[in-house]
Amino acid sequence: MSPILTFLFGLLLLVLFGWYFFTDSDRVKRVLGTVLTVLLVAFCLQSVSPPRDVDTGKKDAKGKPIIIPGKIHLGLDLQGGTSFLIRLDPPVDTTTGSRKTITKDMVEQAMEAFRKRVDEFGVSEPIITPEGTDRILVQIPGLNPEKIEEAREQLRKVAKLEFRLVNPQSSRLVPAIESGQEVLPPGYTIQPMEAERGGKAVESRLLIKKKADLLGERVTRAGAYLDASGWGVSMEFDSEGGQKFGELTKQVYEEHSQMAIVLDGKIISAPGVTHGAIWGAKAQISGGNMSEKEARGLASALQNPLQTPVVIEEERSASSTLGADSIKSGITAGVGGLIFVLIFVVIYYRFAGLVAVVGLIVNIIVLFGLMAMLNFVLTLPGIAGVILTIGLAVDANVLIYERLREEMAAGKSLGAAVSAAYEKAFSVIFDANATTLITAGILFWLASGPVKGFAVTLILGIIASVFSAMVVTRMLFSWALKFDIIKKVSMLHLISGQGFDFMGRRRLWISLSVVLIALSMGVFGLRGEKNFGIDFKGGDLLMLQAADPLVSEGDVREALKAIDLGDVVIQKESTVDATYISIRSPENTSAKVEEQLVKAMPKAGFSEHKRDHVGTLVGGEMAKSSLMALGLGALGILLFVSLRFEFSFAIGALVALLHDIVITVGVFALFGRELSLVMVGAILTIAGYSINDTIVVYDRIREGLKSGRSGSVQSIMNASINETLSRTLLTSGCTLLSVAALFFFGGPVLHDFAFAILIGIVVGTYSSIFIASPIVLWWSQRGDQNLRNEVRRGSEQQAIV
């Protein structure tokens, strides 16, 4: 679909959505819901088809197979390959002795130089993008492990910028030499030069000196300019370079020749001299109908940002077999989680559960359609985001169905109960998902690579789940009621929270939490630096697959004693059909580790699956950005809950959030796990999910206080917790089912992530029931505050707005 049609289609959907949410007519809602569902599903199916590359079986004029590209783009961790995060080291200005500032043009020139070097490996679709002001991310898919070292050296090598004289007889000698009529003069070589003429690349061949007449390090400044005669390039030299350049231009002028500008052994330009020798250390290159692109490219090349060695601050590689295994594990975990959840909702909610199943299928179609349409890359953490979305999607349905149960128990007809359930559930679904969106949005903003992929799928998944729950399932209920397909809705009711005094025992729950928090902080403190993986403190991570499933961590540790690496962390992970050994070691030691293990343990049958390297500087920056992400997430949730509820509720939510994060990290440390960037994503997800559950309880407390229900604030809170207990446990249970599938079937790479989410869901459910409300009560009783009056004032202010 063309961009214009896509824009018009999006505009149509926006109008229909607005109409849907503002109309009060059930008939109009039913029709609009149907139109929206059909259009969006059709559009998403068209956007995602075909999901993977399809070989047509035909070949083009050059004999290459014609492939229809797939719409779902895979990250390096799923298709295999290597990524390098490279920092440019500013070159020294020979005039002042100080380092130059890395400019945008210098970064672009360095990217172009990297692109030419990567192209030599013959890989398809390398991705080279700027990261910040002085870093470049180079992603090379499908790079064979034996070529990784070569790629590393190619990217790290210094770029050589030279000025070489062109033989005055070049145009006559080149064809004669190539035809065998003339002999190549000593000290010269024939080099090709590409130039753009009329939008087409034109290649010429020049006879230039083998040795440089002037080195590029003598250039102190270069820049593109535009004047009346067109685009050109100005450049300046240091004193020694200016003198040498004057001598060379004099020779070129007298011989009516050219001066080749050579970068990395390739000619990028070969200007002549038209007005005599150029003295004074300043020169201009103009004429020849130079385009803006050529002028800026030449100016950037003359500044040569790669004249000093670059620093590879981060390197991550994954074998193609690991990518294939990850896809297989992800699909298994996704299908397993989907089946678990579907069986549960159908058994528990019966007909309503079947409606939820249809909504969930629409949710998945919309999620992948949006990913394909927006050209987002699917990563391994992204698959985890999809699986987590399955649980979150069912959560919304549980909130609606539990409200439907209450409305039917109040004596309303089925049609009236359905309408009331969706209308009353909308507020809590919106509030609960908005908090998760806040944390996912912050993660997307501050994260990079695969973790950003997780944030993308989580954001799109939340949007898709709200649509499927509030529009698709309501539309299905509406049609079923219209054609009398259902007369009544029956559901299981296994969880009843009537009569339990949660608030009366609040000191017990808070004391228990204080003890758990103290223990968590103690365990974390005792482990010290061992809590942090290479993402935060730098180092190497090597993951090897072992053909022998009986190989142990002790065997590996014993084998590594021979090379004395110091602090090494070894972990073994086993799946149904594979055994993996992960070794975390100091910087630049992974190659030595692999060599030693292959030599000392030949029967283990080790093969490299994954290799990561993170520099100390980058690790420190990642730690800072992770703390910033957590801080901003907490602040965003505090502000949102303050706006939607009252400040007392926000304090309770913040305390519950910190409670969940500290205990989750403590349990993680207790089991000897290490924190990584993916774990930061897990912690932010826990924060959002914790607030999700808490808001369900808060919404009912606020409803009770606004309605003027009799009794003390404490008794209303206690009744509200009891009334929402079933939905709190059921929503957590549904998410636990999908995450459990990820934990058991998702493979070793996502094992820690799933483990953290599992802990977070359990702890978050506990805090929503036992911690958040007591903190609200305690805070609201400080001074002369009255929570009931605070809620009423907040409702009146919102009504006025």
Side-chain angles (χ1 to χ4, degrees):
M1 189 179 289
S2 69
I4 294 177
L5 288 176
T6 301
F7 172 77
L8 293 175
F9 183 79
L11 195 62
L12 173 63
L13 287 179
L14 189 62
V15 171
L16 291 176
F17 269 117
W19 190 3
Y20 178 88
F21 284 109
F22 282 106
T23 184
D24 292 325
S25 169
D26 285 339
R27 183 182 64 82
V28 174
K29 274 189 182 293
R30 182 168 58 246
V31 173
L32 287 175
T34 305
V35 172
L36 279 168
T37 302
V38 171
L39 286 178
L40 196 55
V41 168
F43 181 69
C44 289
L45 286 174
Q46 186 271 334
S47 298
V48 81
S49 181
R52 301 297 302 130
D53 294 350
V54 176
D55 190 345
T56 61
K58 301 177 182 178
K59 295 185 178 181
D60 60 15
K62 295 182 180 179
K64 294 183 179 180
I66 299 175
I67 305 292
I68 300 174
K71 300 294 182 63
I72 300 294
H73 307 291
L74 300 181
L76 289 185
D77 53 354
L78 292 180
Q79 62 175 314
T82 303
S83 69
F84 300 91
L85 182 63
I86 302 170
R87 178 169 57 84
L88 302 183
D89 198 8
V92 176
D93 190 322
T94 55
T95 303
T96 63
S98 60
R99 289 194 175 273
K100 298 179 181 179
T101 301
I102 298 294
T103 64
K104 182 180 178 182
D105 287 342
M106 293 171 76
V107 171
E108 289 177 352
Q109 173 57 31
M111 288 169 56
E112 187 59 32
F114 289 147
R115 186 170 285 108
K116 290 176 180 177
R117 295 177 185 181
V118 170
D119 285 344
E120 295 177 4
F121 291 96
V123 296
S124 61
E125 299 182 2
I127 300 172
I128 302 174
T129 56
E131 291 278 328
T133 57
D134 62 350
R135 289 187 174 100
I136 296 171
L137 179 65
V138 180
Q139 295 180 303
I140 311 175
L143 189 65
N144 294 328
E146 58 268 18
K147 287 190 176 182
I148 292 176
E149 179 61 31
E150 184 183 349
R152 189 183 301 119
E153 293 305 316
Q154 281 288 332
L155 293 172
R156 197 157 42 193
K157 77 177 183 181
V158 173
K160 199 172 184 180
L161 179 68
E162 303 167 315
F163 294 84
R164 302 191 206 174
L165 292 179
V166 179
N167 190 295
Q169 302 297 316
S170 176
S171 59
R172 181 186 66 81
L173 287 174
V174 169
I177 294 169
E178 291 182 336
S179 64
Q181 299 174 9
E182 293 277 358
V183 178
L184 184 69
Y188 281 88
T189 182
I190 297 175
Q191 290 286 347
M193 180 182 74
E194 282 192 2
E196 190 175 308
R197 295 290 180 268
K200 295 182 179 179
V202 179
E203 183 179 283
S204 59
R205 301 176 72 78
L206 298 176
L207 184 62
I208 66 172
K209 281 189 175 183
K210 286 184 178 180
K211 292 185 177 180
D213 295 287
L214 176 63
L215 294 177
E217 64 187 26
R218 296 300 173 186
V219 178
T220 60
R221 194 195 70 81
Y225 70 86
L226 176 65
D227 60 14
S229 60
W231 283 96
V233 176
S234 64
M235 54 184 173
E236 297 178 10
F237 297 86
D238 60 17
S239 56
E240 184 180 337
Q243 178 64 31
K244 184 64 176 176
F245 186 75
E247 295 170 2
L248 292 175
T249 53
K250 180 182 178 182
Q251 183 178 345
V252 171
Y253 178 72
E254 291 174 350
E255 294 178 351
H256 302 287
S257 182
Q258 297 168 275
M259 182 188 298
I261 302 173
V262 182
L263 180 66
D264 268 352
K266 296 180 180 179
I267 302 173
I268 58 174
S269 184
V273 179
T274 57
H275 301 294
I278 302 171
W279 305 97
K282 292 184 179 181
Q284 292 181 339
I285 303 172
S286 60
N289 298 318
M290 188 182 295
S291 66
E292 178 184 0
K293 180 181 177 182
E294 288 177 300
R296 293 193 182 281
L298 179 55
S300 297
L302 288 168
Q303 293 185 88
N304 192 16
L306 301 182
Q307 64 184 270
T308 56
V310 299
V311 180
I312 297 179
E313 294 190 318
E314 181 182 299
E315 177 184 336
R316 300 182 187 272
S317 64
S319 67
S320 56
T321 53
L322 177 61
D325 289 347
S326 297
I327 293 174
K328 179 182 176 182
S329 300
I331 292 174
T332 303
V335 172
L338 184 62
I339 290 173
F340 290 163
V341 171
L342 294 186
I343 290 174
F344 171 78
V345 296
V346 170
I347 291 175
Y348 200 87
Y349 290 109
R350 299 171 185 173
F351 177 82
L354 291 174
V355 171
V357 169
V358 177
L360 190 54
I361 293 171
V362 171
N363 176 23
I364 294 172
I365 292 172
V366 171
L367 170 58
F368 281 101
L370 290 175
M371 287 190 65
M373 182 176 61
L374 298 173
N375 289 318
F376 284 127
V377 176
L378 181 64
T379 62
L380 189 55
I383 291 178
V386 173
I387 295 169
L388 187 59
T389 296
I390 293 172
L392 293 175
V394 176
D395 283 0
N397 290 113
V398 170
L399 293 173
I400 294 167
Y401 294 164
E402 290 301 308
R403 175 63 78 164
L404 176 60
R405 186 200 305 277
E406 294 176 8
E407 298 297 328
M408 289 190 300
K412 292 183 180 179
S413 66
L414 182 57
V418 168
S419 296
Y422 276 93
E423 289 169 7
K424 291 182 179 180
F426 175 77
S427 174
V428 67
I429 290 173
F430 173 81
D431 289 339
N433 284 285
T435 54
T436 309
L437 273 176
I438 289 171
T439 54
I442 290 170
L443 190 61
F444 176 79
W445 174 37
L446 293 175
S448 60
V451 182
K452 181 168 283 192
F454 167 74
V456 166
T457 53
L458 191 57
I459 290 170
L460 296 180
I462 290 169
I463 295 170
S465 66
V466 172
F467 169 76
S468 64
M470 297 305 301
V471 177
V472 177
T473 60
R474 181 168 187 172
M475 175 266 296
L476 293 173
F477 266 116
S478 184
W479 283 114
L481 289 168
K482 176 177 174 56
F483 291 106
D484 291 327
I485 296 174
I486 52 171
K487 300 292 185 181
K488 66 176 182 176
V489 174
S490 60
M491 312 172 188
L492 293 179
H493 193 195
L494 302 180
I495 302 171
S496 178
Q498 299 301 319
F500 192 84
D501 189 7
F502 293 100
M503 296 298 294
R505 296 181 176 86
R506 61 185 181 277
R507 289 181 177 81
L508 173 63
W509 316 133
I510 292 176
S511 299
L512 178 61
S513 290
V514 169
V515 172
L516 290 175
I517 289 171
L519 289 174
S520 298
M521 295 175 69
V523 171
F524 189 85
L526 286 173
R527 291 196 74 219
E529 286 194 359
K530 291 182 179 180
N531 290 300
F532 302 99
I534 65 168
D535 287 341
F536 297 127
K537 64 181 182 182
D540 288 4
L541 168 64
L542 178 67
M543 178 182 282
L544 301 174
Q545 182 175 359
D548 180 6
L550 299 179
V551 64
S552 68
E553 297 172 5
D555 296 335
V556 174
R557 195 178 303 279
E558 189 65 30
L560 292 178
K561 284 183 178 179
I563 54 176
D564 189 23
L565 295 175
D567 187 21
V568 176
V569 178
I570 302 168
Q571 284 186 339
K572 179 180 177 181
E573 298 279 356
S574 297
T575 62
V576 177
D577 53 3
T579 299
Y580 299 94
I581 298 291
S582 297
I583 305 103
R584 293 162 179 81
S585 58
E587 279 190 69
N588 303 313
T589 59
S590 58
K592 190 186 296 185
V593 168
E594 183 174 10
E595 182 182 353
Q596 172 64 16
L597 290 178
V598 170
K599 176 183 174 182
M601 304 176 65
K603 293 183 179 179
F606 287 125
S607 60
E608 182 181 323
H609 248 39
K610 189 175 187 287
R611 187 195 297 262
D612 292 348
H613 161 77
V614 179
T616 306
L617 178 62
V618 173
E621 291 178 358
M622 287 179 177
K624 289 179 184 177
S625 64
S626 298
L627 287 173
M628 183 184 294
L630 293 173
L632 289 175
L635 180 61
I637 289 171
L638 180 69
L639 292 174
F640 179 82
V641 178
S642 297
L643 290 172
R644 289 292 295 162
F645 292 83
E646 282 71 39
F647 189 68
S648 297
F649 289 100
I651 293 296
L654 184 61
V655 170
L657 182 152
L658 295 175
H659 165 279
D660 300 344
I661 291 175
V662 171
I663 294 179
T664 299
V665 172
V667 175
F668 206 70
L670 183 64
F671 280 85
R673 310 284 178 154
E674 292 182 335
L675 297 176
S676 63
L677 277 181
V678 175
M679 273 301 304
V680 174
I683 291 171
L684 278 170
T685 304
I686 291 166
Y689 191 82
S690 167
I691 299 301
N692 190 319
D693 262 355
T694 302
I695 280 179
V696 173
V697 179
Y698 280 2
D699 185 74
R700 183 53 63 91
I701 294 172
R702 181 177 60 178
E703 183 181 320
L705 294 173
K706 283 168 58 178
S707 64
R709 181 189 293 186
S710 60
S712 65
V713 171
Q714 178 177 325
S715 65
I716 292 174
M717 282 185 167
N718 201 69
S720 299
I721 296 171
N722 276 282
E723 290 166 5
T724 56
L725 184 63
S726 62
R727 71 191 64 184
T728 300
L729 295 178
L730 287 170
T731 54
S732 297
C734 288
T735 310
L736 272 174
L737 286 174
S738 57
V739 178
L742 183 64
F743 179 77
F744 290 111
F745 307 122
V749 180
L750 288 178
H751 195 265
D752 284 357
F753 175 88
F755 180 63
I757 296 289
L758 283 173
I759 298 168
I761 291 173
V762 173
V763 177
T765 304
Y766 170 82
S767 68
S768 298
I769 298 171
F770 298 102
I771 302 300
S773 296
I775 296 297
V776 174
L777 181 64
W778 166 75
W779 185 266
S780 67
Q781 289 176 341
R782 294 169 68 252
D784 297 326
Q785 298 180 68
N786 185 298
L787 186 61
R788 194 190 298 270
N789 294 335
E790 189 180 346
V791 169
R792 287 175 177 172
R793 282 196 303 270
S795 302
E796 290 170 359
Q797 290 172 0
Q798 290 180 6
I800 293 171
V801 172

